[in-house]
Amino acid sequence: MRFPVLLCLLFPLAAPAQTFEAMPAPSPQDVTMTVTQDSLPAWIAAFRDRALAAGISAASFDAGMAGRRIRADVLDRDRNQAEFVRTVWAYLDRAVSAERVAAGRMALARTGAAFDRIEAAYGVDRSVLAAIWGLESDYGAVKGDIPVLDALVTLAADTRRGAYFEGELIAALTILQHGDASPARMTGSWAGAMGHTQFMPSTYLRFAVDFDQDGRRDLWGADPRDALASTAAYLAHWGWTRGQPVAVEVRLPPGFDLLLADVKVVRSVADWRALGLAPVAGDLPGGPESWVLLPAGARGPAFLAYPNFRVIERYNPADAYVLAVSQLARQILGGAAVQAAWPRDLRALTYDERVALQRGLTAAGFPTGGADGRIGPKTVAALRAWQLARSLPPDGFPTPDLLARLGR
């Protein structure tokens, strides 16, 4: 799931962002509840055999599944994701607020000794870890209070994405079986993400570490060391390059070919410099691979993204989230905010408008590969081709005005 243009963010900032690895994207269709509290015991009985076959002991299963209930609030949050839209600049306004920057500086100072050790062990920049911590749980203040097992049971028994969440439920039961947490202690977000940096259970099993060496991999307690080190281990596993930026704001030269602003157009920083790209502030670090990102189209800021951008995408695949991590990390260290103006007169397209855009492009001879309301690479490519055919700037950025032109 990539959203390189007008962001259809599927996770409101009012709650912690989620660490979803390969999680299926939600859809506003098929919203009928498929399980109720009355039917849950039968589902649990059927699931028991599958869980035991996956290695969960009968004792662990019975202890973990006792008293589970269907949560209507979880289903409501899941159902309403697809209609939630926010522009990238509105998201960044909240994600990288002055208050969050100030809190990040205090958190970094307060936890400095731990960051020293984590940075030395994993080679991941402390400012980036602090930024993820801030975005995911406001530095531990909002870790989520929903019983993870209830959330996962609800979403697993709801067959729309049942297979994915059943796997996460088995992972959560495995955590209990290992003794890392009790059912009561295992709380988190509506979708089952847990702790200071919001790991899904399967991610916990693969990457969580006992950094404080107390015998447990604890992501929930007041001490954030295990959570921060686990996040560092995750990023290091996916290829984090220490000292390399995530994204640097740049100034494009006059007449820049907007078709070069594509994640598939990867060049060295030296090549981009030769084309006239220059940093808006500070330096433009060198590197063998980088690409130009226009998250708000041709009218908005431009960024040169580095391989670490892709590493953060492993944590959360939305471009706005990765830019928020980059900007929050930068500002925590005293760097400047985004300098170029965002096109604040624009609004995000609604779900129905995004579907209409895809259908209109396809009808005009520029197929998008379907009309699902998700602005992915095929839709962007189709929109760019349509813009080129009409001598418009080919930035692939969907706006209400373009939708109106398409319908003429």
Side-chain angles (χ1 to χ4, degrees):
M1 295 190 301
R2 284 186 56 79
F3 302 96
V5 288
L6 195 65
L7 262 293
C8 309
L9 289 174
L10 305 179
F11 17 78
L13 206 65
Q18 316 305 328
T19 306
F20 290 156
E21 288 194 292
M23 177 170 154
S27 168
Q29 286 81 32
D30 187 24
V31 296
T32 303
M33 183 184 295
T34 58
V35 66
T36 65
Q37 191 63 39
D38 288 341
S39 66
L40 183 61
W43 183 88
I44 290 177
F47 171 63
R48 190 176 195 275
D49 292 338
R50 298 192 293 274
L52 267 57
I56 304 301
S57 70
S60 295
F61 184 92
D62 294 340
M65 299 300 284
R68 294 300 122 216
R69 66 185 184 90
I70 295 296
R71 292 193 59 119
D73 57 339
V74 167
L75 287 175
D76 182 63
R77 290 292 296 276
D78 180 59
R79 295 295 190 249
N80 288 325
Q81 282 191 93
E83 280 302 308
F84 185 85
V85 292
R86 179 179 293 157
T87 59
V88 60
W89 50 92
Y91 178 83
L92 289 174
D93 286 346
R94 297 182 65 188
V96 195
S97 64
E99 293 78 12
R100 184 163 282 158
V101 171
R105 290 171 181 166
M106 290 189 290
L108 204 59
R110 183 176 64 248
T111 323
F115 277 114
D116 288 342
R117 294 182 55 225
I118 293 169
E119 212 171 40
Y122 297 101
V124 178
D125 303 65
R126 67 185 65 200
S127 60
V128 168
L129 293 175
I132 291 173
W133 187 19
L135 290 173
E136 297 294 348
S137 69
D138 264 337
Y139 310 104
V142 188
K143 297 192 288 289
D145 58 3
I146 295 175
V148 165
L149 291 166
D150 279 351
L152 294 176
V153 163
T154 299
L155 293 168
D158 174 47
T159 56
R160 192 167 63 96
R161 288 185 288 162
Y164 171 81
F165 283 107
E166 187 170 303
E168 292 297 335
L169 180 55
I170 289 173
L173 292 170
T174 303
I175 293 170
L176 297 179
Q177 188 162 285
H178 289 172
D180 283 314
S182 65
R185 185 174 176 79
M186 191 183 289
T187 57
S189 77
W190 66 268
M194 312 176 298
H196 287 268
T197 52
Q198 295 290 280
F199 270 25
M200 291 298 286
S202 61
T203 308
Y204 177 101
L205 290 179
R206 287 188 65 191
F207 297 104
V209 298
D210 177 19
F211 196 73
D212 60 12
Q213 297 183 322
D214 68 350
R216 291 186 304 128
R217 300 180 292 173
D218 183 7
L219 306 188
W220 300 270
D223 187 339
R225 285 179 293 174
D226 283 0
L228 293 172
S230 298
T231 303
Y234 181 96
L235 298 178
H237 172 83
W238 292 114
W240 183 264
T241 301
R242 185 172 185 174
Q244 184 187 80
V246 175
V248 176
E249 188 181 3
V250 294
R251 188 177 296 107
L252 301 180
F256 180 77
D257 183 358
L258 293 177
L259 294 178
L260 296 177
D262 190 306
V263 68
K264 296 179 181 178
V265 181
V266 178
R267 299 185 176 181
S268 70
V269 174
D271 288 341
W272 292 118
R273 285 198 191 104
L275 286 174
L277 270 71
V280 169
D283 298 323
L284 192 61
E289 294 184 3
S290 55
W291 62 98
V292 175
L293 180 70
L294 301 177
R299 289 180 51 199
F303 299 86
L304 195 63
Y306 289 71
N308 280 343
F309 196 100
R310 299 187 194 278
V311 177
I312 300 296
E313 282 184 318
R314 291 284 188 170
Y315 213 89
N316 186 313
D319 284 354
Y321 179 87
V322 184
L323 286 173
V325 170
S326 177
Q327 284 297 310
L328 185 54
R330 178 183 178 86
Q331 292 181 47
I332 284 173
L333 295 182
V338 176
Q339 298 296 292
W342 296 100
R344 293 182 180 274
D345 56 307
L346 298 178
R347 64 169 176 82
L349 297 183
T350 66
Y351 170 80
D352 288 341
E353 287 174 328
R354 299 194 303 272
V355 169
L357 178 77
Q358 292 171 319
R359 288 175 176 166
L361 287 169
T362 299
F366 302 91
T368 61
D372 59 4
R374 300 172 192 139
I375 307 300
K378 291 183 180 179
T379 300
V380 172
L383 180 54
R384 279 182 151 176
W386 179 85
Q387 289 172 313
L388 276 173
R390 283 151 184 78
S391 300
L392 298 171
D395 60 3
F397 185 69
T399 66
D401 178 65
L402 287 180
L403 178 60
R405 288 193 185 204
L406 186 61
R408 291 171 190 166

